[in-house]
Amino acid sequence: MRIPFMSMFIASPFDGLQEHAEKVKECAWTFQQAIECHISEKCKTFEEFRQDVIRMESEADAIKRSIRGHLPKGTLMPVDKFQLFRYLREQDSVLDAVEDALDWLSYRSIPGIPEELQKDFFLLVDANIDPIEELSTMVSEARKYFKNFSEKQRTLVKDIIRNLRRQEHEADKVEAMLKAKILNMDIDPVTIFHMIMLAEIIGSIADHAENAGDMMRAMIAK
Amino acid sequence: MTLNYCILIVGYIFGFYMAWNIGANDVANSMASAVGAKAITIRQAVFIAGILNVLGAIFIGSHVTNTIRKGIVSAEILADPQVALIGALSALLAAALWVSFATWKSLPVSTTHAIVGAMIGFGIMAGGFSVIKWGKLAAVVISWIISPFFSIVIAFIMFKVIVRLIISKKNQFTKALNLSPYFVGLTIFVIILSFLFKTPLGKKLSIETPAALAVSLILSIIFGIICKNLLSRFIKKKSTNTAETIFKRIQIGTSCYVALAQGANDVANAIGPLAVIYFIVKTGNVGATVPVPFFLLFFGGIGIACGIAMAGHRVMDTIGSKITTLTNTRGFAIDFAAATTVLVASKMGLPVSTTHATVGGVLGVGLARGIEAVNFRIIFKIMLYWFLTVPAAALTSMAIFKILQLIL
């Protein structure tokens, strides 16, 4: 087939971006289940959940690579190519942080999270899951904006970004509180170190989500 | 004269083959934006393109064709009928060869360029370099650069206007409906003007430029108002309706025009040389222009329709699944830019293909950031092949001419 018309169109990177965001969302749910499983004594499937996250992370990595590898020089898009790559990196970092948290937890599964901290960790995980769930909505709303360039749609995306920022701030507060609590506990130092690091890694999830939101803000700038 | 009849039969076969190729490949360029934007289904596209290409070829295709397309080669080489016969056959063979090669290798080559190159090759062999009108050739080459860029500018502006006036607004459906007479009217204006200026049908009516402008203006206003009434009658007000719903209907019209214009324009590529052969065999000599008999145009049109019917489905299917990011507003901007470019270029006497104009249209919308991903650099590759086709087809034509001269 010798059709110039067709050779001009390349697969939209936004399809990949959307797919990647969905993977991140899916991972977030599994992450939540894994943490819950780890804390409740009866659950034996923590390792399965962790393997699930690892598998999804590598799938998301493949999507990321395919987006990066399939945008030839001179591609015209509604956004700058490198803004898109920066955004993708932040969205991917969310996944990495999720995987890191589970890995870190698995290095010392016994004795696990002390009982008096469990509630706080649930709170921290929930605070960090919220912004992740916003990501895929943000991508699909931003795509709509690139279709009709309406001010109303732009405001909608901006609201989501503002929301992300607020959620990150909430998560930060929970994290700070938790850390202060851990450091003032009378338990063995190794557990303190284990828990502090865990809180830090989980807390970074929302940070990356917020960074992704900031990159999206740059992408929809006029 | 059995030999001449053999040549005529070979001419028929290759003329049909060229027409088939135009149908199979080039037609996708005109229908692609409509299929990509889901304004029409593949079945409808194949059907519309087939019917309108035949109609365009028969009723508005050139009934008197320039034997050497667009006067790039001086007519004096046609003095010797035997040379002209071999020349026309070798040009046809060379063009067919190149088009097949391009199809096999998926090179974005236009049939127009192949036939222009092949005719130049034949001219050089028959009369030496002096018969080539280099000035005319330069104008043609320049038009291949200018026409895509002209189309880029129009598509860019058109898309920006649509964004600014319609799709960025809150009530984009009502806005689109209210402004539709302007967009439809503007399109009809371009279409009527191009038919008045471009086609033999318009030339027969011999309307002067001011009169043509006035006629087009009045008709476009009337059609614009009628279209608005039809649109508001047939499209029910629903909350799910957007500007795309309106442009989807408008785009059906624009893609019909492109199909009709393509049949009218491109049929000459396939049957131009065939007409020369036919004329020499029938009458023994040939002039600068030959009347093309009705059945030859019909023959060419049927060839194009066969190409569409046999390969069109596969081509459009690929397009429909690959080009998913195109919406109706974008498709309209592309079609409009292509139609306008073809009109202006033709008015200036430059041979451009709809393909060039469509390519420019896509890039214009892409530059206006209207498409999620368009490869801009591909235009340089496409242009390279446009330029390479002419000398390549010329050399092939020359070689075939020499071989045929030895044999016949």
Side-chain angles (χ1 to χ4, degrees):
Chain A
M1 243 176 281
R2 44 175 189 92
I3 301 153
F5 193 90
M6 237 171 56
S7 45
M8 287 187 297
F9 286 87
I10 37 188
S12 164
F14 288 92
D15 283 335
L17 217 56
Q18 184 91 58
E19 210 183 321
H20 191 270
E22 298 297 338
K23 269 277 178 297
V24 174
K25 197 169 161 182
E26 212 181 311
C27 242
W29 291 336
T30 315
F31 169 68
Q32 202 171 18
Q33 281 173 303
I35 296 284
E36 273 169 22
C37 173
H38 192 269
I39 288 173
S40 78
E41 302 276 304
K42 290 181 218 105
C43 187
K44 300 275 177 258
T45 48
F46 171 77
E47 192 51 34
E48 271 171 43
F49 284 126
R50 194 171 76 91
Q51 290 306 326
D52 260 2
V53 169
I54 291 171
R55 177 184 52 82
M56 279 189 258
E57 201 273 339
S58 72
E59 279 168 11
D61 253 0
I63 298 170
K64 182 182 76 176
R65 271 198 306 276
S66 124
I67 295 173
R68 285 192 184 149
H70 291 90
L71 283 179
K73 274 184 192 144
T75 303
L76 291 174
M77 290 187 292
V79 297
D80 189 77
K81 184 166 157 180
F82 288 97
Q83 282 177 347
L84 188 91
F85 287 170
R86 282 285 300 277
Y87 174 83
L88 192 59
R89 199 175 73 186
E90 287 303 336
Q91 196 167 271
D92 201 57
S93 301
V94 171
L95 263 189
D96 288 340
V98 167
E99 198 195 351
D100 282 351
L102 291 188
D103 283 347
W104 180 256
L105 201 53
S106 74
Y107 297 154
R108 194 171 184 266
S109 20
I110 298 164
I113 300 170
E115 218 178 313
E116 51 269 61
L117 289 177
Q118 286 176 356
K119 219 172 164 186
D120 298 285
F121 266 106
F122 274 136
L123 222 63
L124 182 65
V125 169
D126 284 346
N128 280 284
I129 293 293
D130 291 343
I132 304 182
E133 288 183 338
E134 288 282 283
L135 285 177
S136 71
T137 328
M138 180 171 74
V139 172
S140 74
E141 291 302 329
R143 276 186 97 172
K144 278 188 205 148
Y145 169 67
F146 294 130
K147 282 231 154 35
N148 60 23
F149 300 98
S150 89
E151 198 47 47
K152 192 178 142 209
Q153 190 63 30
R154 210 169 90 95
T155 319
L156 201 73
V157 181
K158 271 157 77 176
D159 284 343
I160 295 175
I161 296 167
R162 206 168 295 134
N163 208 15
L164 272 179
R165 215 173 290 144
R166 197 180 46 74
Q167 284 169 337
E168 193 271 342
H169 188 65
E170 291 300 316
D172 258 2
K173 278 200 282 193
V174 178
E175 187 191 336
M177 217 179 61
L178 179 58
K179 276 195 207 156
K181 193 172 173 185
I182 298 168
L183 287 173
N184 289 307
M185 274 168 74
D186 195 18
I187 42 175
D188 75 299
V190 181
T191 306
I192 289 188
F193 176 66
H194 191 211
M195 288 303 111
I196 285 289
M197 273 300 279
L198 183 64
E200 204 137 90
I201 298 170
I202 297 178
S204 73
I205 296 173
D207 291 340
H208 289 303
E210 190 207 8
N211 288 347
D214 286 345
M215 281 321 295
M216 183 57 86
R217 180 67 191 82
M219 271 154 67
I220 62 162
K222 275 183 182 169
Chain B
M1 288 299 269
T2 46
L3 180 65
N4 280 2
Y5 276 100
C6 286
I7 291 177
L8 185 60
I9 289 163
V10 174
Y12 271 126
I13 293 167
F14 281 89
F16 190 83
Y17 178 70
M18 284 292 284
W20 191 91
N21 256 298
I22 292 170
N25 291 292
D26 293 4
V27 86
N29 292 313
S30 56
M31 302 307 272
S33 66
V35 173
K38 311 262 182 299
I40 47 176
T41 63
I42 296 168
R43 193 183 288 269
Q44 285 166 336
V46 170
F47 198 68
I48 292 175
I51 300 269
L52 291 181
N53 265 279
V54 175
L55 289 181
I58 296 171
F59 294 108
I60 36 188
S62 300
H63 284 264
V64 178
T65 190
N66 290 70
T67 42
I68 311 298
R69 265 180 79 87
K70 308 292 175 188
I72 294 168
V73 184
S74 149
E76 66 201 54
I77 53 156
L78 296 170
D80 180 0
Q82 198 57 35
V83 171
L85 189 64
I86 295 174
L89 185 67
S90 52
L92 197 55
L93 288 177
L97 208 65
W98 263 98
V99 167
S100 315
F101 179 75
T103 309
W104 174 48
K105 283 279 174 197
S106 308
L107 307 178
V109 165
S110 140
T111 17
T112 317
H113 296 185
I115 208 83
V116 165
M119 282 300 198
I120 290 172
F122 149 46
I124 290 172
M125 288 316 275
F129 283 92
S130 59
V131 297
I132 307 293
K133 295 182 180 164
W134 297 106
K136 277 241 165 101
L137 184 61
V140 167
V141 170
I142 288 169
S143 78
W144 292 343
I145 305 171
I146 292 173
S147 65
F149 279 101
F150 190 73
S151 191
I152 285 175
V153 172
I154 297 176
F156 183 90
I157 294 171
M158 186 42 117
F159 183 66
K160 282 283 184 197
V161 167
I162 292 175
V163 167
R164 183 64 58 82
L165 293 181
I166 298 174
I167 57 175
S168 70
K169 300 290 184 195
K170 274 199 190 94
N171 46 349
Q172 50 164 283
F173 176 71
T174 1
K175 279 262 190 271
L177 194 60
N178 290 339
L179 290 173
S180 65
Y182 296 98
F183 286 99
V184 172
L186 198 59
T187 316
I188 302 259
F189 184 69
V190 171
I191 291 172
I192 294 177
L193 267 190
S194 74
F195 277 121
L196 285 182
F197 285 143
K198 255 198 92 171
T199 63
L201 199 72
K203 286 193 188 100
K204 232 177 262 171
L205 294 169
S206 66
I207 298 172
E208 292 295 309
T209 307
L213 284 172
V215 167
S216 316
L217 195 66
I218 293 164
L219 282 177
S220 59
I221 290 170
I222 295 169
F223 274 113
I225 293 165
I226 292 174
C227 278
K228 197 206 156 173
N229 285 331
L230 286 178
L231 283 173
S232 47
R233 180 163 306 170
F234 285 110
I235 301 175
K236 299 275 179 296
K237 280 204 179 193
K238 266 189 289 180
S239 54
T240 48
N241 278 347
T242 58
E244 306 294 343
T245 326
I246 301 277
F247 277 93
K248 196 172 181 171
R249 305 301 167 100
I250 300 178
Q251 225 202 328
I252 298 173
T254 51
S255 49
C256 284
Y257 161 59
V258 184
L260 198 63
Q262 187 164 38
N265 280 328
D266 293 0
V267 73
N269 288 340
I271 59 158
L274 176 58
V276 177
I277 297 172
Y278 176 80
F279 221 70
I280 293 169
V281 172
K282 291 287 174 201
T283 66
N285 57 42
V286 68
T289 58
V290 289
V292 180
F294 175 81
F295 81 90
L296 268 188
L297 286 170
F298 185 70
F299 177 75
I302 291 294
I304 294 178
C306 281
I308 296 168
M310 286 158 80
H313 202 277
R314 187 176 57 99
V315 173
M316 308 253 200
D317 196 34
T318 320
I319 286 173
S321 58
K322 197 171 174 198
I323 304 170
T324 52
T325 54
L326 213 56
T327 64
N328 301 108
T329 42
R330 278 107 177 134
F332 171 77
I334 294 166
D335 280 349
F336 180 80
T340 313
T341 306
V342 170
L343 164 72
V344 175
S346 311
K347 187 80 184 88
M348 284 156 61
L350 301 169
V352 290
S353 66
T354 20
T355 311
H356 300 192
T358 338
V359 166
V362 174
L363 294 180
V365 177
L367 279 175
R369 310 216 166 247
I371 302 173
E372 283 189 347
V374 174
N375 190 352
F376 190 82
R377 290 218 313 185
I378 207 91
I379 194 180
F380 298 114
K381 192 180 156 200
I382 292 173
M383 279 186 157
L384 181 71
Y385 283 112
W386 287 346
F387 288 121
L388 285 181
T389 312
V390 176
L395 286 174
T396 318
S397 170
M398 285 156 87
I400 294 176
F401 186 85
K402 270 285 165 217
I403 294 168
L404 285 181
Q405 245 183 351
L406 283 177
I407 299 170
L408 304 173

